[in-house]
Amino acid sequence: MLGFLTTSDGGGCGQVVAWGLSSLLKGPSLQVASCLAQRHAHACVPEHAAGAPVPASGLPGPAPAASRALPPAVQGGLHGQEDCCASRAGAHMALPAAQLPAAIAGMCPLQSGLAAGAPQHREHAGWWLGVGVGSCLLLQPTRAPRKHALRVLDMTGLLDDGVEQDPGTMSMWDCTAAVARTCIAQQQGGTTEPGLAPIPVEVRVDLRVNRASYAFLREALRSSVGSPLRLCCRDLRAEDLPMRNTVALLQLLDAGCLRRVDLRFNNLGLRGLSVIIPHVARFQHLASLRLHYVHGDSRQPSVDGEDNFRYFLAQMGRFTCLRELSMGSSLLSGRLDQLLSTLQSPLESLELAFCALLPEDLRFLAQSPHAVRLKKLDLSGNDLSGSQLEPFQGLLQAAAATLLHLELTECQLADTQLLATLPVLTRCTSLRYLGLYGNPLSMAGLKELLRDSVVQAELRTVVHPFPVDCYEGLPWPPPASVLLEASINEEKFARVEAELHQLLLASGRAHVLWTTDIYGRLAADYFSL
């Protein structure tokens, strides 16, 4: 039988999950549970094939009459579940957070039952209840048969970049801390009810770590080895972490679980990366690798640098499932062909922001097997205004059939370059997102883009720059730093916004967002495309 609760309390979610995980070891009657932080709390229960309640045995006292019938909001709130095990176990019914106290007052068991079409073994019907009030979560297990015990708790999907964080959701930091505390506590003094052997639970999580939390998380990962709570990290994000600490964490992760490694603000350089990359390459199911500040500039070669770069390339050739590669702020001038040629399969997402790309880099990419598979491309910070413009247009042409997300922030694209690129840009008919912030475009250029993009029916978001018309006394061509820091004439910009809005309305595209807010619109994650 399947049942689960998802809570949305941002301030106390760490306590919520820690409480719940320690209770799970006593053997609740679930097969799969999800604990995704959302804006509403959801209590999910199985739906009986015939719609009638199934007697639950072994409960601590009879259920009060008020709890024997599900509220109308529950009966009408059927939700799906992506997990195939969950979909077989039972239907999901959503209960709004406001109605939780009435539905579960007194820790009463919710109506128990079987899923429609499922084998009707009533003697195995169990129950599970979660209460989310403030920062408290209680998970009540049953003495259900072992084959109905919880096996997997999925707490992944808590993506949090620290920008516009929703106060009603649980962040990756909260989740990481909660899971770590629970694993350590379980290893140091976890107990189970007499007669109930602890049933191993696989806890799937996305982990975020920095210098301050490293020791704590390392201890948690060590504690989960051989523990009833087995941590299975899906996405690892390490920020400002020394090389040796990064290696130590990678050595503790399950090679069969990890799909993404994201190393941010670590400034590893080629030397540090050559130490870390073999530990990353052992994750054969890795689909996303995000590295930054890898200095491989051929303009300043050195013997050590060349050796490290060759070793890095050799290790990159070990990945068999890699689909996303991000090398932001890495000096790859004239080296892109060497990097991409080592990969065993084509990429679908490639981020090369501020990589000082040369025309030959873009030309190689346009002719490579990667171009025709790209869904996401980020060339921010690369100057596309001169000799790079033509090979860039060739790259767009090659990727036109598949490209969904294109980021060109601070690429020195003025009206002349934009207008020359529009014919090929508008062939990207599946494009959903276009980022042009920080480019010296005028109002006339933006209007031309808006008119021509009418053929792009899938386009939903355009992040555009403040038009150069709205600045006073700009040097020409204006450096990106000036565009980002100079004052805007607010009255002029208000008129620009109004005119763009009217043009969108007139073309029947009021649903398309044109904005200058680069922080409020997080870039689409590859796995969500």
Side-chain angles (χ1 to χ4, degrees):
M1 293 304 96
L2 172 70
F4 69 85
L5 176 77
T6 62
T7 77
S8 64
D9 181 84
C13 278
Q15 297 178 7
V16 169
V17 179
W19 214 114
L21 289 179
S22 60
S23 300
L24 291 175
L25 297 177
K26 300 177 183 178
S29 58
L30 292 92
Q31 293 173 329
V32 178
S34 294
C35 193
L36 303 179
Q38 302 172 0
R39 187 173 284 281
H40 298 291
H42 291 142
C44 299
V45 298
E47 179 184 39
H48 184 227
V54 177
S57 58
L59 299 178
S67 72
R68 292 174 186 162
L70 293 173
V74 178
Q75 296 172 0
L78 187 62
H79 282 252
Q81 167 67 305
E82 295 179 356
D83 193 293
C84 58
C85 298
S87 62
R88 288 195 299 267
H92 290 187
M93 295 189 175
L95 178 62
Q99 299 187 29
L100 276 171
I104 55 181
M107 289 298 295
C108 304
L110 292 174
Q111 181 174 347
S112 181
L114 298 174
Q120 298 190 19
H121 303 297
R122 294 193 177 207
E123 66 273 15
H124 297 308
W127 68 287
W128 175 85
L129 179 63
V131 182
V133 180
S135 61
C136 180
L137 174 65
L138 306 175
L139 301 181
Q140 287 291 99
T142 67
R143 294 176 177 269
R146 189 178 184 88
K147 69 176 183 178
H148 291 296
L150 175 69
R151 303 294 183 183
V152 175
L153 177 61
D154 190 350
M155 300 176 63
T156 59
L158 303 174
L159 300 176
D160 168 26
D161 279 330
V163 181
E164 295 277 321
Q165 174 63 30
D166 188 336
T169 63
M170 181 180 184
S171 72
M172 282 180 67
W173 289 115
D174 295 327
C175 182
T176 299
V179 171
R181 280 197 299 270
T182 303
C183 288
I184 294 173
Q186 175 63 32
Q187 184 68 15
Q188 292 177 347
T191 59
T192 58
E193 293 182 7
L196 283 180
I199 300 173
V201 177
E202 180 181 290
V203 183
R204 298 175 183 172
V205 290
D206 297 331
L207 298 177
R208 185 173 175 182
V209 58
N210 60 13
R211 289 175 184 262
S213 59
Y214 161 72
F216 192 56
L217 182 57
R218 181 192 59 184
E219 180 62 26
L221 288 168
R222 286 177 174 173
S223 298
S224 75
V225 178
S227 168
L229 281 182
R230 173 177 167 263
L231 280 187
C232 182
C233 178
R234 184 186 69 164
D235 296 351
L236 175 68
R237 182 162 135 190
E239 300 181 2
D240 189 28
L241 204 61
M243 177 178 60
R244 64 181 182 279
N245 293 355
T246 303
V247 170
L249 282 184
L250 291 170
Q251 291 174 332
L252 291 170
L253 298 180
D254 190 325
C257 298
L258 201 64
R259 71 170 188 179
R260 168 177 282 164
V261 170
D262 185 349
L263 305 181
R264 302 190 182 193
F265 315 118
N266 297 290
N267 200 22
L268 295 170
L270 277 173
R271 180 178 176 277
L273 193 58
S274 65
V275 174
I276 289 176
I277 195 65
H279 298 280
V280 178
R282 76 181 182 90
F283 299 104
Q284 289 301 303
H285 299 293
L286 196 74
S288 172
L289 180 59
R290 304 179 63 84
L291 306 170
H292 302 275
Y293 301 103
V294 179
H295 300 290
D297 190 1
S298 59
R299 293 169 296 186
Q300 295 180 341
S302 67
V303 175
D304 290 343
E306 288 298 305
D307 290 344
N308 287 331
F309 191 65
R310 282 195 294 269
Y311 182 73
F312 168 67
L313 294 179
Q315 296 299 314
M316 290 295 293
R318 294 174 57 188
F319 295 108
T320 59
C321 299
L322 198 65
R323 294 295 179 269
E324 178 182 50
L325 179 62
S326 176
M327 300 287 291
S329 300
S330 302
L331 294 176
L332 296 175
S333 304
R335 295 293 189 96
L336 194 60
D337 59 337
Q338 299 177 55
L339 174 61
L340 297 184
S341 295
T342 63
L343 302 180
Q344 294 193 32
S345 55
L347 297 171
E348 295 181 349
S349 175
L350 182 59
E351 299 181 11
L352 299 170
F354 298 93
C355 287
L357 298 181
L358 301 177
E360 54 264 38
D361 295 316
L362 296 173
R363 196 170 291 114
F364 169 81
L365 180 56
Q367 298 171 356
S368 73
H370 305 282
V372 295
R373 299 288 296 273
L374 286 177
K375 296 180 180 179
K376 181 178 181 180
L377 177 63
D378 186 352
L379 297 176
S380 297
N382 293 284
D383 187 351
L384 301 179
S385 64
S387 57
Q388 289 93 334
L389 183 62
E390 184 179 347
F392 165 63
Q393 292 169 347
L395 174 56
L396 279 187
Q397 177 67 43
T402 57
L403 199 59
L404 306 177
H405 186 106
L406 179 60
E407 187 68 70
L408 301 173
T409 296
E410 297 182 39
C411 287
Q412 293 298 309
L413 293 172
D415 288 359
T416 302
Q417 290 80 30
L418 178 63
L419 295 179
T421 305
L422 278 179
V424 65
L425 179 60
T426 52
R427 290 176 193 161
C428 302
T429 53
S430 299
L431 197 67
R432 301 173 189 168
Y433 174 97
L434 176 61
L436 290 169
Y437 193 83
N439 288 288
L441 298 173
S442 70
M443 180 57 182
L446 292 178
K447 288 164 66 175
E448 193 68 28
L449 171 64
L450 191 151
R451 280 191 292 264
D452 285 11
S453 64
V454 69
V455 298
Q456 296 172 298
E458 300 300 317
L459 191 61
R460 292 296 179 269
T461 303
V462 177
V463 180
H464 63 87
F466 293 98
V468 291
D469 316 60
C470 298
Y471 293 89
E472 301 290 346
L474 274 180
W476 197 264
S481 58
V482 174
L483 291 177
L484 296 176
E485 298 173 5
S487 299
I488 300 295
N489 185 312
E490 298 292 345
E491 184 177 343
K492 287 183 179 180
F493 183 63
R495 290 197 296 268
V496 166
E497 283 191 308
E499 188 171 356
L500 290 175
H501 181 65
Q502 288 302 316
L503 289 172
L504 286 170
L505 290 177
S507 61
R509 291 181 292 160
H511 61 282
V512 182
L513 175 65
W514 278 59
T515 179
T516 57
D517 186 2
I518 59 173
Y519 298 109
R521 307 294 302 180
L522 295 180
D525 183 75
Y526 163 66
F527 293 110
S528 69
L529 292 175

